[in-house]
Amino acid sequence: MNEEEEETPDGPEEQKFSGTGPEASNDVSIQGGLIVVDATHEGEDDFEVRLIPENSDAGKVFADSSGTYAGQTARHIDEGTYQLSVVADGGWEVTIKQPRPTSGESPPLSINGTGNEVHGPFEFVGTHQPSGDCDGERISVNVLSPTGDSRAFVFHEDSINNPSAFDYEGVGYIEIKSDGEWSIEIE
């Protein structure tokens, strides 16, 4: 497993890993808050990416798929040292980002994509009305703060046809988890 670090203007350095097959890397430093994991897999069987805190068997799953995979997932996790655990049967790449921007694009927003993606930063003020479309069976959309102090539910597959307005104040990232193509509008 090779690790590269790259400076980012709005947060800690990105940490990049790659390999073939299952591997684990210790001493992954996390400052706490929002973590975005961008992962790809070129295998045919199970693919899982997990960050496990020191002295623990449990961890946060960032990718859990079968076969070829390309996507981003975001989670709020505590500051500490973690192990990156990758289960794979083919070539893979993982980039761990810890974005900490102080501003972003303001709504109205229009985002299109496929599968699991994280978009932002966006700057929200007040109440926002979402709408969306998805050709898959599942979708979940949330707004996550960079610092981990707030989160807003936007909609999922049961509420996509009539989503409620949501309140959010500050900078946030939109996380979409889906099994198909989707489009999202936020006013």
Side-chain angles (χ1 to χ4, degrees), residues 19-187:
T20 301
E23 293 189 36
S25 177
N26 293 321
D27 301 324
V28 176
S29 179
I30 301 296
Q31 289 190 7
L34 183 67
I35 305 302
V36 178
V37 171
D38 190 344
T40 60
H41 178 236
E42 296 176 1
E44 297 178 11
D45 290 327
D46 292 340
F47 178 60
E48 180 184 272
V49 176
R50 183 183 299 257
L51 282 172
I52 304 168
E54 281 186 331
N55 305 317
S56 176
D57 292 334
K60 299 283 187 181
V61 175
F62 285 86
D64 187 7
S65 183
S66 183
T68 301
Y69 176 85
Q72 301 93 32
T73 306
R75 301 263 189 280
H76 291 130
I77 65 174
D78 294 332
E79 180 177 1
T81 302
Y82 288 75
Q83 177 189 72
L84 173 66
S85 172
V86 178
V87 174
D89 73 325
W92 54 267
E93 293 182 1
V94 171
T95 301
I96 300 171
K97 303 173 186 176
Q98 301 179 67
R100 301 297 181 265
T102 57
S103 65
E105 180 184 349
S106 297
L109 306 172
S110 179
I111 306 169
N112 299 301
T114 302
N116 298 340
E117 294 186 15
V118 178
H119 291 264
F122 301 111
E123 193 161 353
F124 298 92
V125 177
T127 302
H128 303 278
Q129 181 61 54
S131 61
D133 188 42
C134 180
D135 72 359
E137 294 181 18
R138 67 170 182 82
I139 187 168
S140 174
V141 180
N142 293 284
V143 177
L144 305 171
S145 74
T147 57
D149 59 357
S150 62
R151 172 188 186 103
F153 170 76
V154 178
F155 59 74
H156 56 59
E157 62 273 1
D158 293 334
S159 62
I160 192 171
N161 292 324
N162 190 22
S164 299
F166 68 94
D167 291 322
Y168 191 89
E169 294 286 335
V171 176
Y173 284 78
I174 298 174
E175 180 193 44
I176 304 97
K177 293 181 185 175
S178 178
D179 61 355
E181 291 184 29
W182 46 263
S183 63
I184 298 168
E185 307 280 333
I186 296 180
E187 296 183 27

Side-chain angles (χ1 to χ4, degrees), residues 1-5 14-18 25-29:
M1 181 178 314
N2 297 328
E3 179 182 345
E4 292 178 32
E5 292 187 2
E14 291 183 353
Q15 299 175 66
K16 296 183 179 189
F17 303 87
S18 62
S25 177
N26 293 321
D27 301 324
V28 176
S29 179

